[in-house]
Amino acid sequence: MKRRDFIIKSSLAGMALVAIPNIYSQDRIITKLQAGNPLRFPPELQPGESLIFNSAEVEVWPGTTTQILGLNNSYPGPTIRVQKGSDFSVLFENQYTEEATIHWHGLLVPELMDGQPKDAVQPGNNYTYSFPVFQRAGTYFYHSHAHHLTAKHVYMGYAGFFIVEDEEELQYGLPTGAYDIPLLIQDRHSVYQPQFNYSPSMMDRMLGYLGDVPLVNGTPEAFFDVQKTLYRFRIVNGSNARVYKLGFSDNSPFHIIATDGGLKDEVVPTSSVFLSPGERIEILFDFAPYNIGNSITLQSQTFSGIGNQGTLMELLRFDIAGDLSSGGTAPQELPPIDYYDINDISGTRTFTLSQGIMGTGMHRINGLTYDMNRIDEVIPFNKLEEWKFVNNTNNYHPMHVHGVLFQVYSRNGNTILAPNDKGWKDTVLVNPNETVQTLVKFIDYSGTYLLHCHNLEHEDDGMMLNIEIDNPTNIENEDPSPNNFELSQNYPNPFNPSTTINYKLTIAGFVTISIFNLLGRKIETIFTGHKSSGQHSIVYTNKSLASGTYIYELRMNDRALRKKMTLLK
Ligand SMILES: [Cu+2]
C-alpha cells in the first residue's frame, strides 16, 4: 500500500492539472454516523419474475422519497442467486423512455446476452437474457450499459448483485445464510439529497462523478447488528468513479478469500484493501473479540488520491448485538488456481490509456474513443496473451474486459501481487502512471466484446474498445488441460440423428457438456452435473440443427476440451 501511495504522490507532483484546488474548495465534510439506518437488502429475484426498467420512487433517506431509475422499483435491483451448472433466463422489459441493457458484469455469456451498448433494448421493447452459468461460484453484479447512459443509469440506481453458488464451495466451511452478507458500495452527492441528480460538471467528466455520501445496499448511515462470530462479506464497488481503501475503524485484520472471479487459492490476512469501480472482493471478519454493545465501522480510509479521491468515509457500522455462532471457519485451504505461465503467451497487446484536454473524447485507449461499429482488436480464441495497460494519466482507470476472467501478472514490473490482484479478475485498477501486465485467454465464446474503463464517466466519454474474439475453428483436438480428463471422438461421425460421446475423468468433478456452432455460439448444454472418475458416455440426439460441422465441449472446472463432429442429414 505504501508503494501505491508513493506512486500517487509522485504523479501528483508532476501533474499538469492546475485547476484542482478551486474545484475542490467546496469539499463537503463526511457526516459521522449517528444512530443511522439498518442495513437494507434488496429482494431476491423469484423464478419466472421479469426485470422491469423504469423510474420509481423509493425511500433512501427516512421520510423522503428519491426518484430512481432501476429494476422492479428496487434500489439496489433484485438480487439474483443461481447455481453453477444451471441455465439462467429472465425477461427484461424496458418501460422507461431511454434505451437500456443489462450487462452481467463478470459473467461469461454469449455476445448477444452481454448487454452491450450496440444491443440496447429500446423503450417499450422486451428482451430475454438467457445463458448457461458454468463459471466459478462468486460475487458478480449487473448494471445498465447503454450508450452514453451507463453512468447516469447506474448512478440513479440501476445495479444489483448476481451471486453464483456451487457445491464445491460448501466444503470450505465458510459462513452461510445470515452470516454471508453482500454489500454494494456506492457514493452520492449530499448537495442534491434526497435526489440522485446525475449532473456532472466538466471536471466531474474528467475525474469521475465523486459523491460525498456513501450508501451501502442503498442505505445511508448504515448499521448492521452482528453476532460475536465469523462473517463472510461480499463487497461490490458499484460507484461510478470512487476508489475505496477498505478497512476497519480499529485497523483490525480481516481475511481476503475471493476476488472478482470467485475464491482465491489462499486466505490472505490484511488490514486494508483497495477496491475500484467494478471490482469485487470477499472477506471474512470475526467479531468474536468484541463485547456486546461495542461497535466497529467499515471505512474507506484516507489515501493520497487525485482530486476528491481518498477521503475518509464511514461506510457501515457493525453493532455487536449477540453471541450466536455462524459455524463458519476461515479455511486452511481454498481451491487451487492454475496460474498462467507468461512463457506460454502467443502475443502481447498494449493498451495505452490517455487523457486529453477537456471536451468530448478526452479519455482514450490507444488514441481511440468508442465506435460501436468499429472492431478495434481481433483476439485469437484459446490463446494466452499478455495485455499491458499503460496509464499515462494522473487518474485511476479500473480496466474491465467482457467475456473473460484474466490474471494480473505485474504492476510496474513488480510480480509480487497484492492479495486483491492475485486470483481471477475481470477488472483491474490501473493507478496513475502505472503499467499493469495481465494474462488473458478467451476460452468460452467468440464474438464482439468490450474492453473499457469502469470509471463510468470515462466509459461514457468513450474510453472503450470493441474486441472481436476470433472463431474457435482452429481448436480441434487442442488440449489446454490434459491432466484430469480426456474426450474421445464421437461415434458414429458423421451422424444423424444420434451419436455417442465418450469421455474419461481421472478425478471426480462437476462436468458440463455443450454443443457449439463454428462461430463459437453455444447451441445447447446437453449435460451438467457431478461425475465420478472413470469412463463415461453420453448420447447426443440432434433435434433441429442443419447439416454441418459442430463443436462439442467437455468442461470441468476452469478447463475445457473440444472436438468437431459432423451432422449429415
Ligand atoms: Cu478511466
Side-chain angles (χ1 to χ4, degrees):
M1 301 313 163
K2 282 200 170 111
R3 183 180 62 87
R4 193 173 297 173
D5 283 351
F6 171 75
I7 292 165
I8 294 163
K9 271 178 197 145
S10 57
S11 69
L12 265 170
M15 68 192 286
L17 269 171
V18 288
I20 282 179
N22 289 337
I23 298 294
Y24 290 100
S25 58
Q26 55 196 11
D27 265 6
R28 298 136 196 153
I29 308 300
I30 309 299
T31 329
K32 195 85 182 144
L33 283 176
Q34 303 298 316
N37 305 300
L39 180 68
R40 298 167 192 153
F41 295 97
E44 301 232 342
L45 186 73
Q46 299 303 308
E49 192 181 357
S50 299
L51 287 172
I52 299 168
F53 176 51
N54 209 339
S55 65
E57 289 193 335
V58 302
E59 185 174 301
V60 174
W61 285 272
T64 63
T65 54
T66 302
Q67 183 102 19
I68 64 155
L69 286 180
L71 299 181
N72 296 10
N73 306 326
S74 175
Y75 167 64
T79 295
I80 298 170
R81 201 177 284 275
V82 298
Q83 292 296 314
K84 176 178 170 176
S86 64
D87 288 319
F88 174 73
S89 183
V90 69
L91 178 67
F92 174 60
E93 301 180 37
N94 185 351
Q95 296 184 356
Y96 190 60
T97 55
E98 292 173 348
E99 63 176 32
T101 76
I102 309 180
H103 170 55
W104 313 96
H105 184 123
L107 288 154
L108 305 169
V109 303
E111 173 190 336
L112 295 179
M113 299 298 149
D114 195 38
Q116 300 178 22
K118 69 183 179 62
D119 302 314
V121 180
Q122 297 305 312
N125 286 5
N126 299 340
Y127 187 77
T128 299
Y129 288 98
S130 165
F131 48 86
V133 178
F134 52 75
Q135 66 198 86
R136 309 178 84 223
T139 304
Y140 305 93
F141 75 121
Y142 65 80
H143 57 80
S144 178
H145 211 315
H147 197 38
H148 294 316
L149 290 169
T150 302
K152 174 189 170 186
H153 288 174
V154 172
Y155 188 83
M156 293 192 70
Y158 189 150
F161 299 105
F162 193 111
I163 293 170
V164 178
E165 300 174 328
D166 69 9
E167 288 172 20
E168 188 192 358
E169 203 180 36
L170 295 177
Q171 68 184 275
Y172 297 103
L174 299 166
T176 58
Y179 304 95
D180 174 359
I181 307 296
L183 301 174
L184 175 72
I185 302 177
Q186 300 186 302
D187 56 336
R188 297 292 180 262
H189 288 70
S190 62
V191 66
Y192 300 121
Q193 191 176 314
Q195 294 310 323
F196 288 171
N197 281 8
Y198 186 70
S199 52
S201 66
M202 189 57 87
M203 184 55 87
D204 292 329
R205 291 183 193 280
M206 188 89 174
L207 296 175
Y209 199 47
L210 294 166
D212 55 315
V213 175
L215 303 181
V216 180
N217 296 350
T219 321
E221 300 186 21
F223 70 85
F224 183 54
D225 285 348
V226 293
Q227 303 294 319
K228 287 163 55 71
T229 188
L230 190 74
Y231 279 75
R232 175 184 188 172
F233 295 105
R234 305 164 177 265
I235 307 174
V236 177
N237 184 348
S239 305
N240 282 37
R242 183 169 289 283
V243 176
Y244 299 95
K245 184 184 177 187
L246 300 173
F248 288 90
S249 48
D250 63 354
N251 274 317
S252 279
F254 53 91
H255 289 91
I256 299 179
I257 57 165
T259 53
D260 299 339
L263 290 177
K264 291 170 61 63
D265 55 345
E266 56 186 346
V267 175
V268 183
T270 186
S271 60
S272 69
V273 62
F274 281 92
L275 197 70
S276 67
E279 284 188 298
R280 287 89 63 209
I281 199 151
E282 294 185 26
I283 66 170
L284 296 178
F285 189 75
D286 193 353
F287 294 100
Y290 299 90
N291 296 322
I292 292 173
N294 282 0
S295 293
I296 176 177
T297 302
L298 178 68
Q299 300 175 320
S300 184
Q301 301 174 341
T302 55
F303 59 96
S304 312
I306 303 301
N308 213 4
Q309 298 269 22
T311 322
L312 178 70
M313 282 187 162
E314 311 285 340
L315 304 176
L316 172 59
R317 191 186 76 226
F318 297 103
D319 294 341
I320 289 80
D323 60 0
L324 299 175
S325 171
S326 66
T329 53
Q332 295 298 308
E333 288 189 337
L334 286 173
I337 290 175
D338 284 332
Y339 288 103
Y340 294 137
D341 185 340
I342 197 163
N343 297 309
D344 294 339
I345 60 168
S346 64
T348 294
R349 263 167 237 272
T350 301
F351 297 99
T352 302
L353 316 177
S354 64
Q355 180 174 290
I357 51 168
M358 287 199 206
T360 306
M362 58 192 159
H363 300 98
R364 292 165 182 258
I365 304 173
N366 290 344
L368 299 167
T369 59
Y370 179 59
D371 177 346
M372 69 170 74
N373 297 310
R374 185 191 67 220
I375 299 294
D376 299 299
E377 301 280 336
V378 178
I379 317 288
F381 190 85
N382 200 33
K383 296 272 190 222
L384 185 68
E385 294 196 330
E386 173 197 25
W387 287 16
K388 273 187 199 171
F389 296 102
V390 180
N391 184 352
N392 286 338
T393 77
N394 298 312
N395 206 345
Y396 302 100
H397 299 295
M399 298 307 295
H400 173 48
V401 190
H402 292 210
V404 74
L405 291 167
F406 59 83
Q407 295 174 357
V408 178
Y409 183 72
S410 79
R411 286 184 182 273
N412 278 350
N414 183 358
T415 56
I416 299 168
L417 299 175
N420 49 328
D421 278 339
K422 200 174 171 211
W424 290 106
K425 297 289 293 172
D426 56 59
T427 306
V428 61
L429 176 59
V430 186
N431 288 291
N433 299 309
E434 190 178 47
T435 292
V436 175
Q437 249 177 314
T438 61
L439 295 171
V440 184
K441 182 159 73 169
F442 288 83
I443 58 169
D444 296 299
Y445 295 104
S446 59
T448 305
Y449 289 89
L450 294 169
L451 157 66
H452 66 88
C453 181
H454 219 282
N455 175 316
L456 299 181
E457 281 67 45
H458 295 178
E459 184 221 305
D460 277 352
D461 187 49
M463 198 170 193
M464 177 154 67
L465 300 181
N466 270 324
I467 56 175
E468 177 78 22
I469 315 308
D470 219 348
N471 297 334
T473 48
N474 57 351
I475 57 139
E476 187 185 15
N477 298 327
E478 251 189 52
D479 188 352
S481 170
N483 28 352
N484 292 334
F485 52 101
E486 296 166 14
L487 181 63
S488 302
Q489 190 64 52
N490 62 306
Y491 183 83
N493 188 43
F495 69 97
N496 182 34
S498 293
T499 188
T500 299
I501 298 167
N502 290 305
Y503 60 98
K504 185 179 169 186
L505 309 183
T506 55
I507 59 167
F510 194 88
V511 164
T512 302
I513 302 170
S514 307
I515 310 294
F516 294 80
N517 69 17
L518 286 181
L519 296 174
R521 307 267 148 71
K522 185 172 283 190
I523 293 163
E524 60 180 314
T525 296
I526 59 174
F527 176 78
T528 180
H530 199 82
K531 280 286 183 187
S532 57
S533 64
Q535 191 74 43
H536 301 281
S537 72
I538 183 167
V539 174
Y540 172 61
T541 301
N542 167 256
K543 296 180 190 100
S544 56
L545 296 177
S547 290
T549 301
Y550 296 90
I551 291 164
Y552 59 99
E553 176 194 86
L554 172 65
R555 171 173 290 280
M556 189 155 98
N557 300 327
D558 303 323
R559 298 304 180 123
L561 289 174
R562 300 178 183 86
K563 283 190 185 298
K564 285 182 182 172
M565 63 181 179
T566 303
L567 174 66
L568 210 56
K569 281 189 167 171

